[in-house]
Amino acid sequence: VTISVGATTNVSPTVSISGGNRTIADTNDNAGEVVSFTGTATDSDGTIASTQWLVGGSEVAIGTSASFSLDNGATVVTFKATDNDDAATSTTATITVEVPNVSPTVSISGGDRTITDTDGSAGETVSFTGTATDSDGTVASTQWLVGGSEVATGTSASISLGNGATVVTFKATDNDGASTSTTVTITVEAPNVSPSVAISGGDRTIADSDGSAGETVSFTGTATDSDGTVASTQWLVGGSEVATGTSASISLSNGATVVTFKATDNDGAATSTTVTI
């Protein structure tokens, strides 16, 4: 009796990679990331002789667990197992290392500055120009903010500001939702108000009391400044200073003399008033 025994067909290993295809954040701000892998390999009719991890056809690690560096972007990683009969099975996973988003870069032309109030009414409309760029994407929106509230959009704006100092913010948001802000302080300077002046007694006639030509006459003036301080006061006769301060005694000739009281404020504005004695 002749008995024929057929050769047994070898069964290749079964392999898998935990996690499969996935995206990994680049956590260290340097190009690339070290990624950990775990593979499984079983052989139903024998044993696993070796396991390998391959990138671009080259072996980068062995064993069922491995950590190796991948470049930014998408990389195909292969896990390969070979059994005791030299049969091999491979599987792949695509790992995408995602570069961290870079926030926009922003600036405001002109920086901090002082604007003169030109219309005599409180406040002034001020023009602004901002720049916003995004090195790794696009700028999705730009805003101008005052006191935390949006007052305009776009890179150029005309904004009404009150007198005094106001902080204006320019904010840009990119296509990944990251935002960057910058600020300038704009001071709207109200026009200087000149001092108010008066001379007590007004125009008047003084009797010559000593029988000599002329008479010494006493004067009192008032000077106030609604938006600052009075820096100096003068008494003038014929355009020449004859006394300072708010009170003065001035020798005047017989006849009519025009006496001027002049006050100058801390911003250099002056106001004068006269009396004829």
Side-chain angles (χ1 to χ4, degrees), residues 130-173:
T131 57
T133 57
D134 190 47
S135 61
D136 62 346
T138 58
V139 174
S141 65
T142 52
Q143 300 167 281
W144 296 91
L145 309 165
V146 173
S149 298
E150 180 183 287
V151 293
T153 60
T155 55
S156 297
S158 293
I159 305 170
S160 180
L161 303 180
N163 287 341
T166 304
V167 176
V168 178
T169 300
F170 177 60
K171 178 180 179 183
T173 303

Side-chain angles (χ1 to χ4, degrees), residues 192 194-195 262-265 268-272:
N192 181 45
S194 299
K262 178 180 179 182
T264 304
D265 69 13
T271 306
S272 299

Side-chain angles (χ1 to χ4, degrees), residues 169-271:
T169 300
F170 177 60
K171 178 180 179 183
T173 303
D174 69 12
N175 57 304
D176 287 311
S179 61
T180 305
S181 298
T182 187
T183 64
V184 292
T185 299
I186 306 300
T187 302
V188 178
E189 196 170 60
N192 181 45
V193 178
S194 299
S196 296
V197 294
I199 301 173
S200 299
D203 298 338
R204 58 194 186 275
T205 298
I206 304 294
D208 187 333
S209 62
D210 58 7
S212 299
E215 186 79 3
T216 298
V217 182
S218 295
F219 294 89
T220 300
T222 58
T224 58
D225 190 45
S226 62
D227 63 346
T229 58
V230 174
S232 65
T233 52
Q234 301 167 282
W235 296 92
L236 308 164
V237 173
S240 297
E241 181 184 284
V242 292
T244 60
T246 55
S247 296
S249 292
I250 306 170
S251 180
L252 302 181
S253 301
N254 288 341
T257 303
V258 175
V259 176
T260 300
F261 177 60
K262 178 180 179 182
T264 304
D265 69 13
N266 57 304
D267 287 310
T271 306

Side-chain angles (χ1 to χ4, degrees), residues 13-35:
T14 300
V15 293
S16 65
I17 299 174
S18 299
N21 299 333
R22 59 193 188 276
T23 298
I24 304 292
D26 188 332
T27 60
N28 59 5
D29 291 330
N30 294 321
E33 187 78 3
V34 175
V35 183

Side-chain angles (χ1 to χ4, degrees), residues 46-61:
T47 58
I48 300 295
S50 65
T51 52
Q52 300 169 281
W53 297 90
L54 308 163
V55 173
S58 299
E59 181 183 284
V60 293

